[in-house]
């Protein structure tokens, strides 16, 4: 009986892990397909803020997962400079164009970004200090800020 319970638990855990991995994989693929041509995952952005910077700013304003997701889902089809969380990026790159992606795709990408915002790049702390006059290490960020 004990062996059966252990086996059942292992199967359930494996099933849950595979589901999570598939969801995260789908989010990564959608990010690559829809967003990465502008929001690079590594390095400094040339035409838009890099993924980490965007995620960090949105998480500072919307630390709750569902609020973060809703912000992304609502922002992408209707970007508005007056509601931008990154005025420096708007000044540097302009406001992103409105993108009519399906809400289901935006939600998958936003979930992926919230859960996998990435590791803070080496250059980001200096950039953030110059832009905001404070360190990004103030505990308000994404929870993934680490060097």
């Amino acid at each position: 009986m004990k062996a059966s319970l252990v086996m059942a638990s292992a199967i359930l855990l494996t099933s849950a892990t595979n589901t999570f991995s598939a969801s995260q994989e789908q989010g990564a693929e959608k990010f690559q397909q829809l967003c990465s041509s502008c929001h690079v995952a590594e390095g400094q952005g040339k035409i838009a803020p890099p993924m980490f910077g965007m995620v960090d700013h949105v998480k500072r304003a919307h630390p709750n997962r569902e609020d973060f997701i809703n912000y992304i889902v609502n922002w992408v089809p209707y970007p508005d400079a007056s509601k931008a969380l990154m005025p420096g990026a708007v000044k540097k790159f302009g406001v992103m164009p409105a993108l009519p992606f399906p809400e289901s795709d935006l939600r998958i990408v936003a979930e992926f970004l919230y859960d996998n915002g990435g590791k803070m790049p080496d250059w980001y702390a200096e950039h953030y200090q110059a832009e905001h006059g404070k360190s990004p290490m103030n505990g308000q960020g994404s929870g993934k800020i680490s060097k």
Side-chain angles (χ1 to χ4, degrees):
M1 169 106 170
K2 187 175 179 183
S4 297
L5 287 175
V6 171
M7 181 62 98
S9 296
I11 290 169
L12 287 173
L13 182 58
T14 302
S15 175
T17 302
N18 288 342
T19 301
F20 177 76
S21 296
S23 172
Q24 293 302 303
E25 186 175 318
Q26 187 179 21
E29 288 173 6
K30 284 291 179 189
F31 174 83
Q32 187 67 30
Q33 177 187 24
L34 302 176
C35 312
S36 69
S37 62
C38 296
H39 297 282
V40 296
E42 295 197 16
Q44 294 191 33
K46 302 236 186 284
I47 60 174
M51 178 181 78
F52 177 84
M54 183 270 303
V55 169
D56 184 55
H57 280 75
V58 176
K59 275 191 175 181
R60 286 172 186 275
H62 303 285
N64 174 277
R65 188 175 193 270
E66 195 58 33
D67 293 342
F68 175 96
I69 292 166
N70 288 333
Y71 178 84
I72 299 293
V73 167
N74 293 315
W75 171 264
V76 173
Y78 306 105
D80 180 345
S82 70
K83 297 177 183 173
L85 299 176
M86 301 178 75
V90 170
K91 197 182 302 181
K92 181 175 181 178
F93 304 114
V95 178
M96 71 179 277
L99 300 170
F101 299 141
E103 182 177 332
S104 59
D105 287 351
L106 294 175
R107 184 161 292 279
I108 290 166
V109 169
E111 290 169 355
F112 165 74
L113 290 174
Y114 187 88
D115 296 335
N116 299 286
K119 180 181 171 207
M120 182 172 67
D122 292 338
W123 58 267
Y124 189 75
E126 186 177 321
H127 162 78
Y128 193 91
Q129 177 72 37
E131 289 289 318
H132 303 283
K134 60 185 175 185
S135 170
M137 306 292 208
N138 66 6
Q140 299 294 315
S142 67
K144 299 242 181 182
I145 298 178
S146 62
K147 281 191 169 185

